[in-house]
Amino acid sequence: MPPRHRDTDRTPSRLEGRATWLVSRAYARSSGLLNAGFGADGDGLRGYHYRLLAALAEWGPASQAQLGRQTGIDRSDVTAALAELESRRLVERSADPDHGRRKIVTITAAGSDQLHRLDQVVDGIQDDFLAPLTPAERDRLVALLTRLVDAPR
């Protein structure tokens, strides 16, 4: 019978120091903090709602398909999330005059206000996630992660 391990924080030595392992562990930690933060202070909204509101605030009105591409959210999930945002009057959807079936989504004033409140939630989560690092280390980590994310595939 194989030994039972109850210590879930242990890492096999083969994985220690491997960047891909560390990034996946950091992702798991950040996801947990984001889920908890939005759950406690997000007024029932989640990270994908935040991404959609942020995209609309920064880039202006867009089609649902365009929002999906810009935010990396699956088209069917975008539709469901926008329906929820629309029911809360945080966005408005209207017919595209140039394309009969396409809907154009616009953030409302209430959506902008909600986005600012969610910015504060996300800022707090960033502080919690990066707490072990000095300000200079935080800046360096963000710069390095940005290079990795922006690297050609």
Side-chain angles (χ1 to χ4, degrees), residues 2 13 18 30 38-39 60 67 70 72-73 76 79 90 94 108 112 114 135-136 143-144 150 152:
S13 60
R18 294 193 186 253
S30 69
F38 276 104
L67 282 170
Q70 290 172 336
I73 302 172
S76 62
T79 302
L90 302 177
S94 58
T108 63
S112 293
Q114 182 66 46
L144 291 170
D150 291 344

Side-chain angles (χ1 to χ4, degrees), residues 109-133:
S112 293
D113 291 344
Q114 182 66 46
L115 179 59
H116 290 298
R117 286 189 292 277
L118 293 175
D119 282 337
Q120 293 174 352
V121 172
V122 171
D123 288 345
I125 294 165
Q126 300 305 297
D127 288 341
D128 291 346
F129 179 66
L130 298 171
L133 305 178

Side-chain angles (χ1 to χ4, degrees), residues 12 15 20 23 29 48 58 70 93 96 100 111 119 121 124 126 129 136-137 140 149 152:
L15 299 175
T20 51
V23 168
R29 182 169 176 261
Y48 50 87
E58 185 168 337
Q70 290 172 336
R93 290 190 280 188
D96 183 341
D119 282 337
V121 172
Q126 300 305 297
F129 179 66
E137 290 171 330
R140 184 74 178 138
V149 169

Side-chain angles (χ1 to χ4, degrees), residues 19-20 23 141-153:
T20 51
V23 168
L141 175 64
V142 169
L144 291 170
L145 289 172
T146 299
R147 279 181 55 198
L148 289 173
V149 169
D150 291 344
R153 294 177 188 191

